[in-house]
Amino acid sequence: MTDKATHKTPVRRRKEARPQELTAAALALFVEKGFAATRLDEVAARAGVSKGTLYLYFDSKEALFLAVIREGIVPVIEEGRKLLAAHADDPERMLREYLFGWWAMIGNTELGGVPKLMTSEAQNFPEVAQYYVREVIQPGKAMMREILDRGVAKGVFRELDTEMVTHILMAPLLHLALWRHSFAACCQVPDMDPQSYLESFFDLVLKGLAAAPEGGK
């Protein structure tokens, strides 16, 4: 009895692990080669399984990419919501947690290559791009807009067009992620240290958003 139970357990664990292994392999290859250039047999080989095994879980490359987003980025967005809720009464802290948290959980990981991937291939794969916009970009923007609206309502931030400012604040984060997955791989630039970059960015943002002191101009 003991031998049979021992034999079944590793097989069950391996079966459960396979989808995550496949999405991890797919993410690495998508970032390295691009979505169009990546073949499913390459993903299977990178994950150490047969192409037939891959098809047990994903019937197309598009389905595989959607799983990468669903399993990799969507949970991070949910964690971000919880983190911001913990600092709901402090808009400045919320903003800092958002900016630095985005870098720590997405930009500075393999997932940080996805913005580069989508920027270069969105037009060729519109359905994939639409999914990314709906599940990643729009929820991310909504969180940023909520932070700004709270700051304005509390008098911490000045009156502003929060929709437009949301676009503006996201751009430097995307630039840093694009840099990491392009020029940083071959060009060492000392002044592009991510921590220093983010600290300087946050300082500029706070000064730009700050409401004027009461009675001031």
Side-chain angles (χ1 to χ4, degrees):
M1 286 290 276
T2 305
D3 289 342
K4 287 183 181 178
T6 304
H7 174 70
K8 288 180 181 178
T9 302
V11 175
R12 188 162 60 250
R13 281 202 305 265
R14 173 63 180 164
K15 186 176 180 182
E16 290 171 354
R18 277 180 179 161
Q20 288 73 39
E21 292 168 1
L22 290 166
T23 53
L27 174 60
L29 284 165
F30 289 157
V31 171
E32 288 172 20
K33 303 184 63 174
F35 185 75
T38 298
R39 302 193 313 273
L40 287 178
D41 57 339
E42 292 176 306
V43 175
R46 177 71 66 94
V49 300
S50 69
K51 192 173 179 180
T53 297
L54 186 151
Y55 274 108
L56 290 175
Y57 300 101
F58 306 105
D59 60 7
S60 67
K61 189 163 56 173
E62 287 77 6
L64 189 52
F65 177 80
L66 299 188
V68 167
I69 301 303
R70 188 169 55 248
E71 295 172 14
I73 299 182
V74 172
V76 171
I77 293 173
E78 292 304 317
E79 284 302 309
R81 287 195 181 100
K82 294 176 186 175
L83 189 64
L84 296 183
H87 304 292
D89 292 328
D90 187 347
E92 287 189 9
R93 178 68 182 275
M94 288 175 74
L95 183 59
R96 183 179 179 88
E97 293 291 346
Y98 184 103
L99 298 178
F100 284 79
W102 186 94
W103 178 251
M105 292 186 283
I106 295 179
N108 198 34
T109 72
E110 199 74 37
L111 293 168
V114 175
K116 174 175 175 275
L117 175 68
M118 294 310 305
T119 299
S120 62
E121 306 210 44
Q123 191 170 358
N124 297 323
F125 302 95
E127 290 184 6
V128 171
Q130 287 163 13
Y131 180 85
Y132 183 75
V133 168
R134 185 175 66 251
E135 299 297 327
V136 178
I137 293 179
Q138 290 179 346
K141 284 175 56 184
M143 281 194 288
M144 175 65 83
R145 197 162 53 247
E146 180 184 345
I147 294 169
L148 296 174
D149 286 338
R150 282 178 179 271
V152 172
K154 285 181 171 294
V156 177
F157 301 152
R158 61 189 175 82
E159 291 289 337
L160 43 83
D161 181 345
T162 56
E163 179 70 30
M164 188 56 64
V165 173
T166 292
H167 287 292
I168 294 169
L169 293 184
M170 290 305 301
L173 293 178
L174 295 174
H175 169 72
L176 189 58
L178 290 172
W179 183 275
R180 179 178 181 268
H181 288 274
S182 56
F183 295 106
C186 59
C187 311
Q188 296 301 316
V189 181
D191 61 357
M192 279 296 287
D193 170 67
Q195 187 65 26
S196 298
Y197 179 101
L198 290 170
E199 292 287 358
S200 297
F201 174 46
F202 184 65
D203 179 61
L204 287 171
V205 168
L206 278 190
K207 288 175 180 174
L209 293 177
E214 222 172 289
K217 294 183 179 180

